[in-house]
Coordinates of all heavy atoms in Angstrom, one line a residue:
M358 N -17.3 -3.3 1.6 CA -17.3 -2.0 1.1 C -15.8 -1.6 0.8 O -14.9 -1.9 1.5 CB -17.8 -1.0 2.1 CG -18.0 0.4 1.6 SD -18.6 1.6 2.9 CE -17.1 1.8 3.8
K359 N -15.6 -1.0 -0.3 CA -14.3 -0.6 -0.8 C -14.1 0.9 -0.5 O -14.8 1.7 -0.9 CB -14.2 -0.9 -2.3 CG -12.8 -0.7 -2.8 CD -12.0 -1.9 -2.7 CE -10.6 -1.6 -3.2 NZ -9.6 -2.6 -2.6
I360 N -13.0 1.2 0.2 CA -12.7 2.6 0.5 C -11.6 3.0 -0.5 O -10.6 2.4 -0.7 CB -12.1 2.7 2.0 CG1 -13.2 2.3 3.0 CG2 -11.7 4.1 2.2 CD1 -12.7 2.1 4.4
D361 N -11.9 4.2 -1.1 CA -10.9 4.7 -2.0 C -9.9 5.5 -1.2 O -10.2 6.7 -0.7 CB -11.6 5.6 -3.0 CG -10.6 6.1 -4.1 OD1 -9.4 5.9 -3.9 OD2 -11.0 6.7 -5.1
M362 N -8.8 4.9 -0.9 CA -7.8 5.6 -0.1 C -7.3 6.9 -0.6 O -7.0 7.8 0.2 CB -6.5 4.7 0.0 CG -6.8 3.3 0.5 SD -7.2 3.3 2.3 CE -5.5 3.4 2.9
R363 N -7.4 7.1 -1.9 CA -6.9 8.4 -2.5 C -7.8 9.6 -2.1 O -7.5 10.7 -2.3 CB -6.8 8.3 -4.0 CG -5.6 7.4 -4.4 CD -5.5 7.3 -5.9 NE -4.3 6.6 -6.3 CZ -4.3 5.3 -6.4 NH1 -5.3 4.5 -6.1 NH2 -3.2 4.6 -6.8
K364 N -9.1 9.2 -1.7 CA -10.0 10.3 -1.3 C -9.6 10.8 0.1 O -10.0 11.9 0.5 CB -11.4 9.8 -1.3 CG -11.9 9.7 -2.7 CD -13.4 9.3 -2.7 CE -13.9 9.3 -4.2 NZ -15.2 8.5 -4.2
I365 N -8.9 10.0 0.9 CA -8.7 10.3 2.3 C -7.2 10.8 2.5 O -6.9 11.7 3.3 CB -8.9 9.1 3.2 CG1 -10.3 8.5 2.9 CG2 -8.8 9.5 4.7 CD1 -10.5 7.1 3.5
Y366 N -6.3 10.2 1.7 CA -4.9 10.5 1.9 C -4.3 11.1 0.6 O -4.7 10.8 -0.5 CB -4.1 9.2 2.2 CG -4.4 8.6 3.5 CD1 -5.4 7.6 3.6 CD2 -3.7 8.9 4.6 CE1 -5.7 7.0 4.8 CE2 -4.0 8.3 5.9 CZ -5.0 7.3 5.9 OH -5.3 6.8 7.1
N367 N -3.2 11.9 0.8 CA -2.3 12.1 -0.3 C -1.1 11.2 -0.2 O -0.7 10.9 0.9 CB -1.8 13.6 -0.2 CG -2.8 14.6 -0.6 OD1 -3.5 14.4 -1.6 ND2 -2.9 15.6 0.2
F368 N -0.7 10.6 -1.3 CA 0.4 9.6 -1.3 C 1.6 10.2 -1.9 O 1.5 10.7 -3.0 CB -0.1 8.3 -1.9 CG -1.1 7.6 -1.1 CD1 -2.4 7.6 -1.5 CD2 -0.8 6.9 0.0 CE1 -3.4 6.9 -0.8 CE2 -1.7 6.3 0.8 CZ -3.0 6.3 0.4
Y369 N 2.8 9.9 -1.3 CA 4.0 10.4 -1.8 C 5.0 9.2 -1.9 O 5.2 8.5 -0.9 CB 4.6 11.5 -0.9 CG 3.7 12.6 -0.6 CD1 2.8 12.6 0.5 CD2 3.6 13.7 -1.5 CE1 1.9 13.6 0.7 CE2 2.7 14.7 -1.3 CZ 1.9 14.7 -0.2 OH 1.0 15.7 0.0
P370 N 5.6 9.0 -3.1 CA 6.5 7.9 -3.2 C 7.7 8.0 -2.3 O 8.2 9.1 -2.1 CB 7.0 8.0 -4.7 CG 6.0 8.9 -5.4 CD 5.4 9.8 -4.3
I371 N 8.2 6.9 -1.8 CA 9.4 6.8 -1.0 C 10.6 6.9 -1.9 O 10.7 6.1 -2.9 CB 9.5 5.5 -0.2 CG1 8.3 5.4 0.7 CG2 10.8 5.5 0.6 CD1 8.2 6.3 1.9
E372 N 11.5 7.8 -1.7 CA 12.7 8.0 -2.5 C 13.9 7.9 -1.6 O 14.0 8.5 -0.6 CB 12.7 9.3 -3.2 CG 11.6 9.6 -4.1 CD 11.6 8.8 -5.4 OE1 12.7 8.1 -5.6 OE2 10.7 8.8 -6.2
P373 N 14.9 7.1 -2.0 CA 14.9 6.2 -3.2 C 14.0 5.0 -3.0 O 13.7 4.7 -1.8 CB 16.4 5.7 -3.3 CG 16.9 5.8 -1.9 CD 16.2 7.0 -1.3
A374 N 13.5 4.4 -4.0 CA 12.5 3.3 -3.9 C 13.2 2.1 -3.2 O 14.3 1.8 -3.5 CB 12.1 2.9 -5.2
P375 N 12.6 1.6 -2.1 CA 13.2 0.4 -1.4 C 13.3 -0.8 -2.3 O 12.6 -1.0 -3.2 CB 12.2 0.2 -0.3 CG 11.2 1.3 -0.3 CD 11.3 1.9 -1.6
A376 N 14.3 -1.6 -2.0 CA 14.5 -2.9 -2.7 C 13.3 -3.8 -2.5 O 12.7 -3.8 -1.4 CB 15.8 -3.6 -2.3
P377 N 12.9 -4.5 -3.5 CA 11.7 -5.4 -3.4 C 11.8 -6.5 -2.3 O 10.8 -6.9 -1.8 CB 11.6 -6.1 -4.8 CG 12.3 -5.2 -5.7 CD 13.4 -4.5 -4.9
D378 N 13.1 -6.8 -2.0 CA 13.2 -7.9 -0.9 C 13.4 -7.2 0.4 O 13.7 -7.9 1.4 CB 14.4 -8.8 -1.3 CG 15.7 -8.0 -1.3 OD1 15.7 -6.8 -1.3 OD2 16.8 -8.6 -1.4
A379 N 13.2 -5.9 0.5 CA 13.4 -5.3 1.8 C 12.4 -4.1 1.9 O 12.7 -3.0 2.2 CB 14.8 -4.8 2.0
L380 N 11.1 -4.4 1.7 CA 10.1 -3.4 1.7 C 9.8 -3.0 3.2 O 9.6 -3.8 4.1 CB 8.8 -3.9 1.1 CG 8.8 -4.3 -0.4 CD1 7.5 -4.9 -0.8 CD2 9.2 -3.1 -1.2
P381 N 9.9 -1.7 3.5 CA 9.6 -1.2 4.8 C 8.2 -1.2 5.2 O 7.3 -1.2 4.3 CB 10.2 0.2 4.8 CG 10.0 0.6 3.4 CD 10.2 -0.6 2.5
T382 N 7.8 -1.3 6.4 CA 6.5 -1.3 6.9 C 6.3 -0.2 7.9 O 7.3 0.2 8.6 CB 6.0 -2.6 7.5 OG1 6.8 -2.9 8.6 CG2 6.0 -3.7 6.5
G383 N 5.1 0.3 8.1 CA 4.9 1.4 9.1 C 3.5 1.9 9.0 O 2.8 1.7 8.0
G384 N 3.1 2.6 10.1 CA 1.7 3.1 10.1 C 1.4 4.1 9.1 O 0.2 4.2 8.7
D385 N 2.4 4.8 8.6 CA 2.1 5.8 7.6 C 2.6 5.3 6.2 O 2.6 6.1 5.2 CB 2.7 7.1 7.9 CG 4.3 7.1 8.0 OD1 4.8 6.0 8.1 OD2 4.9 8.1 8.0
L386 N 3.0 4.1 6.1 CA 3.4 3.6 4.8 C 2.4 2.7 4.1 O 1.8 1.8 4.8 CB 4.7 2.8 5.0 CG 5.9 3.6 5.5 CD1 7.2 2.7 5.6 CD2 6.2 4.7 4.5
Y387 N 2.2 2.8 2.8 CA 1.2 2.1 2.1 C 1.9 1.5 0.9 O 2.9 2.0 0.4 CB 0.1 3.0 1.7 CG -0.7 3.6 2.9 CD1 -0.1 4.6 3.6 CD2 -1.8 3.0 3.3 CE1 -0.8 5.1 4.7 CE2 -2.5 3.5 4.4 CZ -2.0 4.5 5.1 OH -2.6 5.0 6.2
Y388 N 1.3 0.4 0.4 CA 1.9 -0.2 -0.8 C 0.9 0.0 -2.0 O -0.3 -0.3 -1.9 CB 2.1 -1.7 -0.6 CG 3.2 -2.1 0.3 CD1 3.4 -3.4 0.6 CD2 4.0 -1.1 1.0 CE1 4.4 -3.8 1.5 CE2 4.9 -1.5 1.9 CZ 5.2 -2.8 2.2 OH 6.1 -3.2 3.0
E389 N 1.4 0.6 -3.1 CA 0.6 0.7 -4.3 C 1.0 -0.5 -5.2 O 2.1 -0.7 -5.5 CB 0.9 2.0 -5.0 CG 0.1 2.1 -6.3 CD 0.3 3.5 -7.0 OE1 0.9 4.4 -6.4 OE2 -0.1 3.6 -8.2
C390 N -0.1 -1.2 -5.5 CA 0.2 -2.4 -6.4 C 0.3 -1.8 -7.9 O -0.6 -1.2 -8.4 CB -1.0 -3.3 -6.3 SG -0.9 -4.7 -7.5
T391 N 1.4 -2.1 -8.5 CA 1.6 -1.5 -9.8 C 0.8 -2.3 -10.9 O 0.8 -1.9 -12.0 CB 3.1 -1.4 -10.2 OG1 3.7 -2.7 -10.1 CG2 3.8 -0.5 -9.2
E392 N 0.3 -3.5 -10.5 CA -0.5 -4.3 -11.4 C -1.9 -3.7 -11.5 O -2.4 -3.6 -12.6 CB -0.6 -5.7 -10.8 CG -1.3 -6.7 -11.7 CD -0.4 -7.1 -12.9 OE1 0.8 -6.9 -12.9 OE2 -1.0 -7.6 -13.9
C393 N -2.5 -3.4 -10.4 CA -3.9 -2.9 -10.5 C -4.1 -1.5 -9.9 O -5.3 -1.0 -9.9 CB -4.8 -3.9 -9.7 SG -4.5 -3.9 -7.9
S394 N -3.1 -0.9 -9.4 CA -3.1 0.5 -8.9 C -3.8 0.7 -7.6 O -4.0 1.9 -7.2 CB -3.7 1.5 -9.9 OG -2.9 1.5 -11.1
D395 N -4.2 -0.4 -6.9 CA -4.9 -0.2 -5.6 C -3.8 0.1 -4.6 O -2.6 -0.3 -4.7 CB -5.6 -1.5 -5.2 CG -7.0 -1.6 -5.8 OD1 -7.4 -0.6 -6.4 OD2 -7.7 -2.6 -5.6
I396 N -4.2 0.7 -3.5 CA -3.3 1.0 -2.4 C -3.8 0.3 -1.1 O -5.0 0.4 -0.8 CB -3.2 2.6 -2.2 CG1 -2.5 3.2 -3.4 CG2 -2.6 2.9 -0.9 CD1 -2.3 4.7 -3.2
V397 N -2.8 -0.3 -0.5 CA -3.2 -1.1 0.7 C -2.2 -0.7 1.8 O -1.0 -0.5 1.5 CB -3.1 -2.6 0.5 CG1 -3.4 -3.4 1.7 CG2 -4.0 -3.0 -0.7
S398 N -2.6 -0.6 3.0 CA -1.7 -0.3 4.2 C -0.7 -1.3 4.3 O -0.9 -2.5 4.1 CB -2.6 -0.2 5.5 OG -1.7 -0.1 6.6
S399 N 0.6 -0.9 4.7 CA 1.6 -1.9 4.9 C 1.4 -2.7 6.2 O 2.0 -3.7 6.5 CB 3.0 -1.2 4.9 OG 3.1 -0.4 6.0
V400 N 0.6 -2.1 7.1 CA 0.2 -2.8 8.3 C -1.3 -2.8 8.5 O -1.8 -2.1 9.4 CB 0.9 -2.2 9.6 CG1 2.4 -2.5 9.6 CG2 0.8 -0.6 9.5
P401 N -2.0 -3.6 7.7 CA -3.5 -3.5 7.6 C -4.1 -4.0 8.9 O -3.9 -5.2 9.3 CB -3.8 -4.4 6.4 CG -2.7 -5.3 6.3 CD -1.5 -4.6 6.7
R402 N -4.9 -3.2 9.6 CA -5.5 -3.6 10.8 C -6.8 -4.3 10.6 O -7.4 -5.1 11.4 CB -5.7 -2.4 11.8 CG -4.5 -1.9 12.4 CD -4.7 -0.6 13.1 NE -3.4 -0.1 13.6 CZ -2.5 0.5 12.8 NH1 -2.8 0.7 11.5 NH2 -1.4 0.9 13.3
I403 N -7.4 -4.1 9.4 CA -8.6 -4.8 9.0 C -8.3 -5.5 7.7 O -7.3 -5.3 7.1 CB -9.8 -3.8 8.7 CG1 -9.3 -2.7 7.7 CG2 -10.2 -3.1 10.0 CD1 -10.5 -1.9 7.1
K404 N -9.2 -6.5 7.4 CA -8.9 -7.3 6.2 C -8.8 -6.4 4.9 O -9.7 -5.6 4.7 CB -10.1 -8.2 6.0 CG -9.9 -9.4 5.1 CD -11.0 -10.4 5.2 CE -10.7 -11.7 4.5 NZ -10.4 -11.5 3.0
S405 N -7.7 -6.5 4.3 CA -7.4 -5.6 3.1 C -6.8 -6.4 2.0 O -6.1 -7.4 2.2 CB -6.4 -4.5 3.5 OG -6.8 -3.9 4.7
A406 N -7.1 -6.0 0.8 CA -6.5 -6.6 -0.4 C -6.6 -5.7 -1.6 O -7.5 -4.9 -1.6 CB -7.2 -8.0 -0.7
C407 N -5.7 -5.9 -2.5 CA -5.8 -5.1 -3.7 C -6.6 -5.9 -4.7 O -6.9 -7.1 -4.5 CB -4.4 -4.8 -4.3 SG -3.6 -6.1 -5.1
H408 N -7.0 -5.2 -5.8 CA -8.0 -5.8 -6.7 C -7.5 -7.1 -7.4 O -8.2 -8.1 -7.5 CB -8.3 -4.8 -7.8 CG -9.4 -5.2 -8.8 ND1 -10.7 -5.2 -8.4 CD2 -9.4 -5.7 -10.0 CE1 -11.4 -5.7 -9.4 NE2 -10.6 -6.0 -10.4
C409 N -6.2 -7.2 -7.7 CA -5.7 -8.3 -8.4 C -5.2 -9.4 -7.5 O -4.8 -10.5 -8.0 CB -4.5 -7.9 -9.4 SG -3.0 -7.5 -8.5
G410 N -5.1 -9.1 -6.2 CA -4.7 -10.2 -5.2 C -3.2 -10.2 -4.9 O -2.8 -11.1 -4.2
N411 N -2.5 -9.3 -5.5 CA -1.0 -9.3 -5.2 C -0.8 -9.0 -3.8 O 0.1 -9.5 -3.1 CB -0.3 -8.3 -6.2 CG 1.2 -8.3 -6.0 OD1 1.8 -9.4 -5.8 ND2 1.8 -7.2 -6.1
L412 N -1.6 -8.1 -3.2 CA -1.5 -7.7 -1.8 C -2.7 -8.1 -1.1 O -3.8 -7.8 -1.5 CB -1.3 -6.1 -1.7 CG -0.3 -5.5 -2.6 CD1 -0.4 -3.9 -2.5 CD2 1.1 -5.9 -2.1
S413 N -2.5 -8.7 0.1 CA -3.6 -9.1 0.9 C -3.1 -9.2 2.4 O -2.0 -9.7 2.6 CB -4.3 -10.4 0.5 OG -3.4 -11.5 0.6
G414 N -3.9 -8.8 3.3 CA -3.5 -8.9 4.7 C -4.6 -8.6 5.7 O -5.7 -8.3 5.3
N415 N -4.2 -8.8 6.9 CA -5.1 -8.6 8.1 C -4.3 -8.6 9.3 O -3.2 -9.2 9.3 CB -6.2 -9.7 8.0 CG -7.4 -9.3 8.8 OD1 -7.5 -8.3 9.5 ND2 -8.5 -10.2 8.8
G416 N -4.8 -8.1 10.4 CA -4.2 -8.2 11.7 C -2.8 -7.6 11.7 O -2.0 -8.1 12.5
G417 N -2.5 -6.6 10.9 CA -1.3 -5.9 11.0 C -0.2 -6.5 10.1 O 1.0 -6.0 10.1
V418 N -0.5 -7.6 9.4 CA 0.5 -8.2 8.5 C 0.0 -8.2 7.1 O -1.1 -8.7 6.8 CB 0.8 -9.7 9.0 CG1 1.8 -10.3 8.0 CG2 1.3 -9.7 10.4
L419 N 0.8 -7.8 6.2 CA 0.5 -7.7 4.8 C 1.3 -8.8 4.0 O 2.5 -8.9 4.1 CB 0.8 -6.4 4.2 CG 0.3 -6.2 2.7 CD1 -1.2 -6.2 2.6 CD2 0.8 -4.8 2.2
Q420 N 0.6 -9.6 3.2 CA 1.2 -10.6 2.4 C 1.4 -10.0 1.0 O 0.5 -9.5 0.5 CB 0.4 -11.9 2.3 CG -0.1 -12.4 3.6 CD 1.0 -13.1 4.5 OE1 2.1 -13.4 3.9 NE2 0.8 -13.2 5.8
V421 N 2.6 -10.2 0.5 CA 2.9 -9.6 -0.9 C 3.3 -10.8 -1.7 O 4.3 -11.5 -1.5 CB 4.1 -8.6 -0.8 CG1 4.3 -8.1 -2.2 CG2 3.7 -7.5 0.1
K422 N 2.6 -11.1 -2.8 CA 2.9 -12.2 -3.7 C 4.1 -11.8 -4.6 O 5.0 -12.6 -4.7 CB 1.7 -12.5 -4.6 CG 0.7 -13.4 -3.8 CD -0.4 -13.9 -4.8 CE -1.5 -14.6 -4.0 NZ -2.8 -14.5 -4.7
D423 N 4.1 -10.7 -5.2 CA 5.2 -10.3 -6.0 C 5.7 -8.9 -5.6 O 5.1 -7.9 -6.0 CB 4.7 -10.2 -7.5 CG 5.8 -10.0 -8.4 OD1 6.9 -9.7 -8.0 OD2 5.6 -10.1 -9.7
P424 N 6.7 -8.8 -4.8 CA 7.2 -7.5 -4.3 C 7.7 -6.6 -5.4 O 7.8 -5.4 -5.2 CB 8.4 -8.0 -3.4 CG 8.2 -9.4 -3.1 CD 7.5 -10.0 -4.3
A425 N 8.0 -7.2 -6.6 CA 8.5 -6.3 -7.7 C 7.4 -5.5 -8.2 O 7.6 -4.5 -8.9 CB 9.1 -7.2 -8.8
K426 N 6.1 -5.8 -7.9 CA 5.0 -5.0 -8.4 C 4.4 -4.2 -7.3 O 3.2 -4.0 -7.2 CB 3.9 -6.0 -8.9 CG 4.3 -6.7 -10.2 CD 3.3 -7.6 -10.7 CE 3.7 -8.4 -11.9 NZ 2.8 -9.5 -12.2
V427 N 5.3 -3.7 -6.4 CA 4.9 -2.8 -5.3 C 5.6 -1.5 -5.3 O 6.8 -1.5 -5.5 CB 5.1 -3.6 -3.9 CG1 5.0 -2.6 -2.8 CG2 4.2 -4.8 -3.8
K428 N 4.9 -0.4 -5.2 CA 5.5 0.9 -5.0 C 5.2 1.3 -3.6 O 4.0 1.4 -3.2 CB 5.0 1.9 -6.0 CG 5.7 3.2 -6.0 CD 5.4 4.0 -7.3 CE 4.4 5.1 -7.0 NZ 4.1 5.8 -8.2
V429 N 6.2 1.6 -2.8 CA 6.0 2.1 -1.4 C 5.7 3.6 -1.4 O 6.5 4.3 -1.9 CB 7.2 1.7 -0.5 CG1 6.9 2.1 1.0 CG2 7.5 0.2 -0.6
V430 N 4.6 3.9 -0.8 CA 4.3 5.4 -0.7 C 3.9 5.7 0.8 O 3.5 4.9 1.6 CB 3.1 5.7 -1.6 CG1 3.4 5.5 -3.1 CG2 1.8 4.9 -1.2
R431 N 4.2 7.0 1.1 CA 3.8 7.5 2.4 C 2.5 8.2 2.3 O 2.3 9.1 1.4 CB 4.9 8.5 2.9 CG 4.8 8.8 4.4 CD 6.0 9.7 4.8 NE 7.3 9.2 4.6 CZ 7.9 8.3 5.4 NH1 7.3 7.9 6.5 NH2 9.1 7.8 5.2
G432 N 1.6 7.9 3.2 CA 0.3 8.5 3.2 C 0.1 9.6 4.2 O 0.5 9.5 5.3
K433 N -0.4 10.8 3.8 CA -0.7 11.9 4.7 C -2.2 12.2 4.5 O -2.7 12.4 3.4 CB 0.2 13.1 4.4 CG 1.7 12.9 4.7 CD 2.4 14.2 4.7 CE 3.7 14.2 5.4 NZ 4.7 13.4 4.8
L434 N -2.8 12.3 5.7 CA -4.2 12.6 5.7 C -4.5 14.0 5.0 O -3.7 14.9 5.2 CB -4.8 12.7 7.1 CG -5.2 11.4 7.7 CD1 -5.5 11.6 9.2 CD2 -6.4 10.7 7.0
K435 N -5.5 14.1 4.2 CA -5.8 15.3 3.5 C -6.3 16.4 4.5 O -6.9 16.0 5.5 CB -6.8 15.1 2.4 CG -6.2 14.4 1.2 CD -7.2 14.4 0.0 CE -6.5 13.8 -1.2 NZ -7.4 13.6 -2.3
Ligands
LIG1303 ZN1 -3.1 -5.5 -7.3

């Protein structure tokens, strides 16, 4: 089942944008894949992946294939 994160959270871009080789992680930080526009937690506790496969993770660790295609956003519950 696919959860639409945007229905649960409001997302705000981190400013200034972090460098692709130093992406921050945190419980309230999410990565938006600029390739497919999916949003994945930066510390995914359950199996998570974006549509195109750039972002995938589980157990609190997110693997990023191409960090240049990531926008870091802060999620706040609606
Ligand atoms: Zn993607």
